[in-house]
Amino acid sequence: MHINGKAFRTIWFDEKDQAVKIIDQTKLPHKFEVKNLKTVKDTINAIKTMEVRGAPLIGATAAYGIVLAIMESNDPEFIKISRENLIKSRPTAINLKWAVNRMLKKLSGVNNNALEEAKSICEEDVKFCENIGLNGLKIIEEIHNKKKDTVNILTHCNAGWLATIDWGTATSPIYHAHRKGIKVHVWVDETRPRNQGASLTSYELNEEGVPNTIIADNAGGILMQRGEVDMCIVGTDRTIATGDVANKIGTYLKALAAKDNNVPFYVALPSSTIDWETHDLKNIPIEERNSEELSHVEGLDENNKLKKILIYPKKSKAMNIAFDVTPAKYVTGLITEKGVCEASTDGLKKLFK
Ligand code: MRU
């Protein structure tokens, strides 16, 4: 996808610098900065501080983390500790564990080229996200054929190309529809507390020329009641074997509002986000982040300088739960690289096993 008309991916390996390059997402939308990661510690730090975020991208970053660990030391103990620290760096997105384990499996084989494997994780993600787009496009086309007018799509957080390697998950059907000439408009949930919707989703849609409007997180309900949302598409950090979906805090409430208003609620995901081992939504680890993300906001000041300010009473306590779980019964369908299926064990198995 494009930034200032130039095609980018979110992560790549630079042979000349012998470094992993990332777009520092903590600076967006105000500054576009590419950053070098040279050690496994750098990758862990980038994931923890959310310079990279979004389930598929943190998986890919962790894969490159293993590459950098190997470049630093051949000591099996160091690789083992690196693996554990990478998996712990963010708890909810299953892609982290998936990617690190895939890397280590490769390393134990005959053809154990770690860099090639990290690159192929990225290539595969691009292909899967593209296919998610083609599968989701059919749903948008159907709505458009009936409505014969602009399709209004609500999304939450950033499940765009910035959260993956390219295309995005939730945004891929939107980009495909837009490129096909179907009129789409996106309601972008601001997504407090870190505002990934406003700072990242709206930013990347603008760069691709897709019409969008940022709304307060609580505005989706009334828009649905007024018939101004034709469908919701969100991403996910972990979809368990039952089809229940963990995603950014606030997703569940959007799904409830969608159900009450008969608005189709789709979740887009690559198979690397399926956690086949978990069968009870209560067992999904839910990340809790620093409450400073709630109490402080960052933006440009009158001198165009980035500034962080406190917006809460100094004495107030705050709690920052980063994810919630939407039970499968509220999900109209899962849009995957292999097709669209029911959010259920049977639905998932029909496509993947
Ligand atoms: O905390 P974040 O920004 O990593 O959360 C991201 C999301 O919740 C995305 O919707 C999810 O990772 C899907 S990414 C394609």
Side-chain angles (χ1 to χ4, degrees):
M1 297 283 119
H2 297 88
I3 291 175
N4 265 332
K6 191 174 167 205
F8 275 95
R9 285 190 174 179
T10 52
I11 191 164
W12 63 98
F13 188 79
D14 189 304
E15 301 283 347
K16 193 164 87 25
D17 291 352
Q18 288 291 291
V20 176
K21 305 257 181 188
I22 56 157
I23 298 168
D24 181 353
Q25 301 194 17
T26 60
K27 302 279 182 349
L28 294 175
H30 303 299
K31 274 188 184 165
F32 178 80
E33 268 180 31
V34 172
K35 191 171 173 175
N36 282 351
L37 308 179
K38 293 205 162 198
T39 62
V40 63
K41 207 167 159 201
D42 288 347
T43 58
I44 291 168
N45 189 47
I47 295 169
K48 279 190 172 165
T49 59
M50 295 177 68
E51 287 168 348
V52 288
R53 25 71 48 211
L57 178 57
I58 57 182
T61 310
Y64 276 119
I66 295 289
V67 174
L68 294 173
I70 294 165
M71 281 162 63
E72 283 173 75
S73 163
N74 265 334
D75 178 5
E77 191 55 25
F78 179 68
I79 308 294
K80 189 171 157 248
I81 293 169
S82 299
R83 172 193 179 270
E84 281 157 18
N85 289 338
L86 279 164
I87 290 176
K88 273 196 300 201
S89 58
R90 290 205 61 196
T92 304
I94 192 72
N95 303 57
L96 260 179
K97 192 173 169 195
W98 170 86
V100 169
N101 285 345
R102 176 164 156 177
M103 290 297 292
L104 292 187
K105 200 168 162 200
K106 182 76 180 181
L107 295 181
S108 61
V110 185
N111 179 9
N112 58 4
N113 189 328
L115 181 57
E116 284 315 308
E117 189 66 0
K119 284 182 181 171
S120 84
I121 284 177
C122 292
E123 288 310 319
E124 192 181 283
D125 191 68
V126 175
K127 193 75 216 145
F128 284 5
C129 285
E130 190 180 358
N131 286 341
I132 287 169
L134 293 169
N135 293 328
L137 169 65
K138 292 179 203 150
I139 303 168
I140 299 178
E141 270 176 328
E142 229 171 81
I143 294 173
H144 185 257
N145 289 343
K146 270 195 208 139
K147 193 182 174 190
K148 307 224 176 323
D149 203 349
T150 304
V151 181
N152 288 305
I153 303 167
L154 184 142
T155 191
H156 191 67
C157 195
N158 174 260
W161 75 269
L162 289 167
T164 63
I165 314 303
D166 210 348
W167 288 109
T169 56
T171 55
S172 187
I174 297 169
Y175 288 134
H176 278 84
H178 178 69
R179 287 187 181 185
K180 218 178 159 185
I182 298 170
K183 279 196 178 162
V184 284
H185 164 260
V186 186
W187 296 114
V188 178
D189 281 354
E190 180 190 32
T191 320
R192 284 282 290 149
R194 287 186 70 100
N195 297 332
Q196 292 97 321
S199 309
L200 303 174
T201 305
S202 182
Y203 169 78
E204 61 162 90
L205 291 172
N206 291 344
E207 294 292 315
E208 286 292 323
V210 179
N212 69 92
T213 308
I214 299 168
I215 51 172
D217 291 336
N218 296 327
I222 187 148
L223 286 174
M224 291 187 213
Q225 278 177 332
R226 286 179 180 170
E228 292 182 50
V229 181
D230 297 303
M231 71 187 298
C232 302
I233 318 180
V234 300
T236 166
D237 288 79
R238 184 187 296 235
T239 291
I240 60 169
T242 50
D244 303 314
V245 170
N247 193 46
K248 181 54 54 190
I249 192 83
T251 305
Y252 173 40
L253 293 181
K254 253 356 104 70
L256 289 177
K259 185 80 176 177
D260 194 44
N261 291 283
N262 289 320
V263 173
F265 187 91
Y266 286 95
V267 179
L269 67 146
S271 48
S272 52
T273 306
I274 304 170
D275 174 0
W276 293 103
E277 283 163 24
T278 302
H279 297 265
D280 184 342
L281 60 84
K282 291 193 196 85
N283 294 335
I284 300 174
I286 298 292
E287 178 176 7
E288 215 172 302
R289 296 186 62 86
N290 195 318
S291 63
E292 209 187 281
E293 290 182 349
L294 277 160
S295 58
H296 289 68
V297 288
E298 193 175 56
L300 287 185
D301 70 7
E302 62 281 11
N303 300 316
N304 248 2
K305 287 243 152 61
L306 277 179
K307 192 172 182 177
K308 202 179 221 184
I309 55 164
L310 170 72
I311 55 167
Y312 283 3
K314 277 190 182 143
K315 285 186 184 163
S316 295
K317 275 201 288 183
M319 188 197 210
N320 186 9
I321 301 173
F323 294 91
D324 62 24
V325 186
T326 301
K329 63 182 174 186
Y330 298 119
V331 177
T332 309
L334 301 172
I335 308 172
T336 77
E337 75 269 15
K338 286 210 176 170
V340 181
C341 70
E342 188 185 86
S344 66
T345 308
D346 279 356
L348 282 167
K349 275 191 180 163
K350 266 184 208 149
L351 282 186
F352 291 102
K353 290 228 162 148

